[in-house]
Amino acid sequence: MTASRKGRGKSFFHELKKSRTLLLMLLPAAVTIFIFAYLPMGGMILAFKNFNYKDGIWGSPWTKGIFDNFKFFFLSGKAFSVTANTFLYNLSFIAVNTFFAVLFAVILSEAGNKYFKKLTQSAIFLPYFVSWVIVGTIAYNLLNYENGVVNGILGMLGLEPVNIYANGPAWRIIIVLFNAWKSVGYSMVVYLAAVTGVDMQLHESAKIDGANIFQRVRHVTFPAILPTVVTMVLLDVSKIFRGNLDLFYQLVGKNGALYDSTDVIDTFVFRSLLETSDIGMAASAGFYQSILCFVTIMLVNGIVKRVQSDYALF
């Protein structure tokens, strides 16, 4: 037993020395992830403390009841609605973005004109670099009641203007569309790389067998990129209970008429934090989100593992 442990230890240090160049290249990324992803986890202790700036994180007293900081969120009457909104919006984002990203990747991979291909790819990818502040301004200039582009077109057609900023249900679609416009380009690049990596001999064989372009996409391209699609979806599912604060806050702002339809956990907590400055409450909401995300990714990954273990994350 002792000899076996010594052998494993010797093998470990041998591999460490052998791969030292690769490990040194990996070190900056590992340190960055540790500082910005793992160290902040210690802040979750604030969910169970009455934080004050004088005593700091570790010196602040514990709450009398273990769930005292969670009471504000659940007793507000908004816990279920904002949790449901967060889940449903992210589910829509995953479905719509994945569909369009795969669709555009396949279309561009089949495009013959390289100039059209590069121009289209750049046009789809460009919105990813536009900040949500700019996107919010674009949305306002398109949709505002008084002089928005949409109402201007309706006026030219002899139709009555529509107050979109007072129509909550409409924003469920508007938010999904704006998110797709901004985010699809990034995902498309990943899927385009996967499509490009498909063995061309498979396509040539399918052509010889008489398969048209749609049959080749269905039976050759899509099965080849399916592992990439599943992996990307699983990564998105891991954040399904986390709302994009920039997206919702910049598009909706402080418009109370839209809160019931657009409020997610992050925007609700952000507004509450501005009003109460209760850091413990904000930390408890973040802890609540983390638990939901953890449970969701474990369940979904478990299902994928049972159906096709090679596609699972772990």
Side-chain angles (χ1 to χ4, degrees), residues 69-79 82 245 249 253-254 259 263-286:
N69 282 332
F70 294 82
K71 287 181 180 178
F72 175 87
F73 181 61
F74 289 101
L75 295 180
S76 66
K78 293 284 187 177
V82 297
L245 179 62
Y249 193 74
K254 297 181 179 179
Y259 286 167
D263 229 7
V264 293
I265 297 173
D266 300 75
T267 53
F268 175 77
V269 172
F270 178 72
R271 287 197 315 274
S272 302
L273 185 59
L274 288 179
E275 295 170 2
T276 64
S277 299
D278 189 342
I279 293 178
M281 179 273 297
S284 64

Side-chain angles (χ1 to χ4, degrees), residues 38-146:
Y38 285 93
L39 280 182
M41 287 183 182
M44 288 193 297
I45 196 175
L46 289 173
F48 308 99
K49 286 199 167 192
N50 288 320
F51 176 78
N52 63 75
Y53 292 97
K54 180 181 177 181
D55 297 322
I57 294 177
W58 304 109
S60 296
W62 297 93
T63 55
K64 292 181 181 179
I66 189 170
F67 296 115
D68 279 0
N69 282 332
F70 294 82
K71 287 181 180 178
F72 175 87
F73 181 61
F74 289 101
L75 295 180
S76 66
K78 293 284 187 177
F80 176 78
S81 63
V82 297
T83 301
N85 280 348
T86 306
F87 175 79
L88 293 174
Y89 271 117
N90 280 314
L91 192 64
S92 301
F93 294 161
I94 292 171
V96 173
N97 292 5
T98 301
F99 173 78
F100 282 109
V102 172
L103 177 66
F104 289 143
V106 171
I107 291 173
L108 289 178
S109 68
E110 296 292 337
N113 190 313
K114 66 177 183 179
Y115 296 106
F116 169 80
K117 188 174 182 178
K118 289 181 179 179
L119 182 63
T120 306
Q121 183 177 341
S122 300
I124 297 172
F125 192 45
L126 182 62
Y128 178 76
F129 297 101
V130 179
S131 73
W132 280 112
V133 177
I134 304 300
V135 175
T137 304
I138 293 172
Y140 181 77
N141 283 283
L142 285 173
L143 305 173
N144 79 80
Y145 181 78
E146 295 178 354

